[in-house]
């Protein structure tokens, strides 16, 4: 009997938006590269740099990642640049480069996609555990406010608005993403709910960021600004319908 050919591996791109994270990016990449291999998929690590001036780009390359420069300004622009720079990847993973999202949870986020149970997987901090001091109270409250509003307006059942998520590239392409600010994840969740996207939440243990304080949640001003963009995106797609 003739041997059957092995199935080609699914291409997965791990997209990490960064800006001045020289203290953390090497550790994040090292943890991702240390994951056990899986015969079902291959993992590319793609760092999207937003114009760092502290050596982040060099550190990322030295750690073994492919680095591209972000096109446009804002978190959403970084995420979209990563999407454009991974045209052959069937699955995309997003996590922050500040050491707070644990790369060790990547297999758990990919499993519902690989098994065909989901199109979008969210790494929920709410269902997992927060390391003490990982997120200030004002940031937690802002997150709860936005998630509650999304659930009410769009009849969703999300527990978190996470930076750590995985999804099918074809689904993201179909959403026609427009938010180039911190509203990008909000737009993603709203459109996923509107389109009936099969969504699974996986608990993750959220860590304290490495190095200095967060550029967003580390200050009240940064949190208020981010919450404004999140709120704006939440209300901006009430009339959106999938093509």
């Amino acid at each position: 009997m003739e041997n059957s050919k092995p199935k080609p591996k699914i291409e997965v791109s791990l997209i990490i938006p960064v800006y001045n994270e020289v203290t953390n990016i090497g550790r994040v990449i090292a943890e991702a590269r240390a994951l056990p291999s899986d015969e079902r998929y291959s993992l590319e690590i793609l760092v999207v740099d937003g114009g760092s001036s502290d050596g982040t780009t060099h550190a990322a390359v030295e750690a073994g990642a492919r680095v591209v420069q972000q096109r446009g300004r804002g978190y959403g622009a970084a995420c979209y640049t990563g999407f454009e720079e991974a045209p052959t990847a069937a699955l995309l993973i997003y996590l922050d480069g500040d050491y707070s999202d644990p790369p060790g949870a990547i297999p758990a986020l990919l499993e519902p996609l690989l098994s065909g149970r989901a199109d979008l997987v969210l790494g929920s901090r709410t269902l997992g555990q927060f390391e003490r001091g990982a997120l200030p109270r004002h940031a937690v409250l802002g997150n709860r406010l936005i998630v509650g509003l999304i659930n009410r307006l769009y009849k969703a059942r999300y527990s978190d608005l996470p930076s750590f998520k995985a999804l099918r590239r074809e689904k993201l392409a179909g959403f026609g993403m427009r938010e180039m600010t911190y509203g990008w994840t909000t737009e993603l969740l709203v459109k996923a709910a509107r389109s009936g996207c099969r969504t699974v939440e996986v608990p993750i243990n959220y860590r304290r960021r490495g190095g200095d304080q967060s550029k967003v949640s580390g200050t009240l001003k940064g949190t208020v600004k981010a919450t404004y963009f999140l709120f704006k995106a939440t209300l901006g797609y009430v009339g959106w319908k999938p093509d």
Side-chain angles (χ1 to χ4, degrees):
M1 183 175 181
E2 188 175 324
N3 292 331
S4 59
K5 293 183 179 179
K7 291 183 179 179
K9 289 188 175 184
I10 297 170
E11 291 186 39
V12 180
S13 280
L14 170 61
I15 300 169
I16 310 175
V18 293
Y19 176 69
N20 286 345
E21 292 290 355
V22 68
T23 303
N24 301 306
I25 191 61
R27 292 192 294 170
V28 174
I29 295 169
E31 288 188 17
R33 295 190 67 190
L35 292 171
S37 61
D38 191 306
E39 62 181 11
R40 295 172 295 177
Y41 66 87
S42 60
L43 181 68
E44 176 200 34
I45 302 174
L46 175 61
V47 170
V48 182
D49 182 68
S52 298
S53 58
D54 65 347
T56 294
T57 299
H58 177 74
V61 171
E62 287 292 301
R66 178 164 71 98
V67 179
V68 298
Q69 291 303 308
Q70 176 179 326
R71 293 184 285 276
R73 297 180 60 184
Y75 173 74
C79 292
Y80 197 76
T81 298
F83 165 77
E84 291 183 316
E85 290 289 336
T88 62
L91 304 178
L92 306 175
I93 310 168
Y94 288 92
L95 64 75
D96 281 350
D98 62 3
Y99 195 69
S100 56
D101 293 325
I106 286 173
L109 265 71
L110 285 177
E111 190 56 42
L113 298 173
L114 294 169
S115 64
R117 293 190 295 114
D119 301 309
L120 169 65
V121 183
L122 305 176
S124 173
R125 301 164 293 184
T126 304
L127 297 180
Q129 295 182 341
F130 282 88
E131 182 180 358
R132 186 177 180 84
L135 207 59
R137 183 169 177 77
H138 58 263
V140 174
L141 292 175
N143 188 295
R144 288 177 180 173
L145 172 66
I146 298 300
V147 170
L149 186 59
I150 292 174
N151 288 341
R152 185 176 181 84
L153 288 176
Y154 300 97
K155 296 180 174 60
R157 301 180 69 179
Y158 300 126
S159 68
D160 194 9
L161 193 66
S163 53
F164 200 179
K165 45 199 170 278
L167 72 164
R168 300 187 189 282
R169 190 182 196 282
E170 62 188 37
K171 287 293 180 180
L172 184 58
F175 289 158
M177 299 293 289
R178 296 186 298 177
E179 297 293 329
M180 296 296 111
T181 65
Y182 281 103
W184 192 87
T185 299
T186 303
E187 180 188 2
L188 174 65
L189 266 60
V190 163
K191 290 184 173 180
R194 274 286 192 216
S195 62
C197 182
R198 296 176 302 160
T199 303
V200 170
E201 291 187 311
V202 172
I204 68 161
N205 296 328
Y206 195 67
R207 308 183 292 202
R208 293 185 64 170
R209 67 164 278 119
D212 56 6
Q213 69 180 11
S214 170
K215 303 172 186 68
V216 180
S217 63
T219 65
L220 180 59
K221 180 180 179 181
T223 299
V224 170
K225 183 178 179 180
T227 302
Y228 165 76
F229 286 121
L230 299 177
F231 186 77
K232 184 171 178 284
T234 300
L235 299 178
Y237 297 93
V238 174
W240 182 87
K241 294 181 181 180
D243 294 332

